[in-house]
Amino acid sequence: MDYQNILFAVEDGIATITINRPKALNALNQATVSELKDVVEKVAADKAIKVVIITGAGAKSFVAGADIKEMASKNAAEGREWGQFGQNVFTEIENLPQPVIAAINGFALGGGCELSCACDIRYAAENAKFGQPEVGLGITPGFGGTQRLTRVVGRGHAKELIYTGGMIDAEKAKAIGLVNEVFPQEELMPAAVKLAKKIAKNAPIAVQLSKAAINRGINCDVVTGIAYEAEVFGLCFSTADQKEGMAAFCEKRKATFEGK
Ligand code: CO8
C-alpha cells in the first residue's frame, strides 16, 4: 500500500509512524486510519522492529482529532461504523507486540488524545495540548476515549476533560499522569528515540511479554493477572535470551539478545 497521509521509517529496529496531514493539523480521516491499520499490521509481523514511535508531522499538531469535515454528514449507522473502525485500529495499536511511544508534538485532541492513550508511553513537547472536545461537537469520544483515558488518568480527571471539552497543557497532563515527561519541542523526538533505544537493548521477548501481562492485567482481576504473569515468567525460561541474559550477568559481561 502506498501511503498518502502517513510516513513510515525503520532505523536500528525502531519504527517511526508519522501522521502526515499538516494542513488539517493531522486530523484522522478514513484514508489515514486505513493507512494506519495497514502499517500497524506490517509492524506487528516484523520481528526486526523492537519499538515503535508514533508522532505527527509539523510543529503544531500531533493529531487534532477525527476529521470533522468528513464526519459532519454521517448518520447514526455510519457514525457507529466509523467509531468501530477507529476503535479496532487503536486496539491493534494497543495490542502491538512491540512497545509504542507517542511523541506528542502539539495538539492531541479527540481522536489524537485517544491515539496517544492507545500507546504504551507518552512523551510530550512543551507546546502539547490535550483534550476531548467531542461534547462541544455534539458527540461522545468514539475512538476509545471514555475507556482508555479513564484507565490512564482515573475517572475524576477523565470525566473533567470529557464533560468540559476543555484543553490542558503538557505540564498539567504530566501532573495527572497523562504524559510521562515533557520536553522542549526540539528535544522531543531525540528523547523518544533515546527511550526507544534503551528499551530495544533489552530481551525483546521479555519486553513483549511484560507488555502483554500489563495490558492483560489492566482489564482483569488481580488474581487472574498474577496467574498470567506466572505463565509469561515461566515462558521466558524457554528462551535463549534468558540463558544469555543470566549467563552475561554471571560472567560480568554485556548480554547480546537475539529475540529467541
Ligand atoms: N478535522 C478537520 N479539519 C481540522 C481539524 C479536524 N479535527 N482540526 C483542524 N482542522 C483543520 C482546520 O479546519 C483548518 O483547515 P482550513 O485551513 O482548511 O480551514 C486547519 O486544520 C488549521 O486549523 P485551524 O485554522 O482551526 O487552526 P487553529 O490554530 O486556529 O486551531 C485547533 C487549532 C484548536 C486544534 C482547531 O483546529 C480545532 O479546534 N480543531 C478541532 C479539534 C477537535 O474538535 N477535535 C476533535 C474532533 S472529534 C473526534 O476526534 C472524535 C473521535 C472519535 C470519532 C468517532 C466517530 C463516531
Side-chain angles (χ1 to χ4, degrees):
M1 186 180 202
D2 282 340
Y3 302 131
Q4 308 301 319
N5 302 311
I6 61 172
L7 305 171
F8 179 56
V10 183
E11 199 180 325
D12 298 334
I14 297 164
T16 303
I17 300 169
T18 305
I19 311 296
N20 186 32
R21 293 185 74 213
K23 280 190 187 142
L25 301 185
N26 304 321
L28 299 173
N29 59 5
Q30 306 220 19
T32 307
V33 179
S34 299
E35 291 182 12
L36 200 50
K37 179 177 169 58
D38 187 86
V39 80
V40 163
E41 288 170 5
K42 241 182 228 150
V43 167
D46 190 339
K47 291 211 177 340
I49 296 174
K50 305 282 192 320
V51 185
V52 182
I53 299 172
I54 299 183
T55 192
K60 195 171 165 182
S61 186
F62 174 69
V63 166
D67 191 309
I68 299 168
K69 293 167 191 167
E70 190 184 71
M71 209 165 34
S73 61
K74 288 194 188 305
N75 62 29
E78 292 164 342
R80 185 184 302 112
E81 197 182 335
W82 171 224
Q84 283 171 344
F85 180 56
Q87 285 179 347
N88 290 343
V89 175
F90 285 16
T91 298
E92 286 190 60
I93 292 171
E94 185 173 45
N95 290 339
L96 269 171
Q98 303 94 339
V100 184
I101 301 163
I104 302 146
N105 54 310
F107 292 113
L109 302 174
C113 187
E114 292 168 310
L115 174 60
S116 79
C117 287
C119 299
D120 295 292
I121 297 169
R122 284 159 292 284
Y123 272 11
E126 283 168 348
N127 71 330
K129 292 260 192 305
F130 296 81
Q132 297 286 161
E134 286 90 344
V135 293
L137 296 163
I139 57 173
T140 66
F143 287 171
T146 60
Q147 305 306 307
R148 291 198 183 91
L149 179 65
T150 308
R151 282 162 172 76
V152 173
V153 300
R155 71 186 75 174
H157 290 301
K159 286 178 173 176
E160 186 173 338
L161 277 165
I162 291 170
Y163 297 170
T164 62
M167 284 190 219
I168 57 169
D169 64 16
E171 279 308 326
K172 173 77 179 176
K174 187 175 176 194
I176 65 172
L178 182 50
V179 301
N180 288 27
E181 299 292 344
V182 179
F183 301 90
Q185 177 105 30
E186 66 282 4
E187 290 173 25
L188 175 66
M189 278 311 286
V193 170
K194 190 173 167 193
L195 174 66
K197 284 185 173 164
K198 195 168 179 185
I199 295 170
K201 276 190 191 141
N202 292 315
I205 296 171
V207 170
Q208 294 185 6
L209 289 175
S210 299
K211 171 172 174 168
I214 294 167
N215 281 6
R216 180 139 175 189
I218 289 164
N219 296 312
C220 68
D221 66 275
V222 73
V223 174
T224 309
I226 286 285
Y228 185 69
E229 185 187 81
E231 289 302 317
V232 298
F233 181 71
L235 207 54
C236 291
F237 287 84
S238 65
T239 66
D241 283 349
Q242 176 269 328
K243 312 274 175 277
E244 164 64 8
M246 294 192 184
F249 176 83
C250 296
E251 293 159 17
K252 299 188 187 300
R253 60 173 174 82
K254 268 195 169 170
T256 308
F257 295 116
E258 290 183 22
K260 289 179 185 159

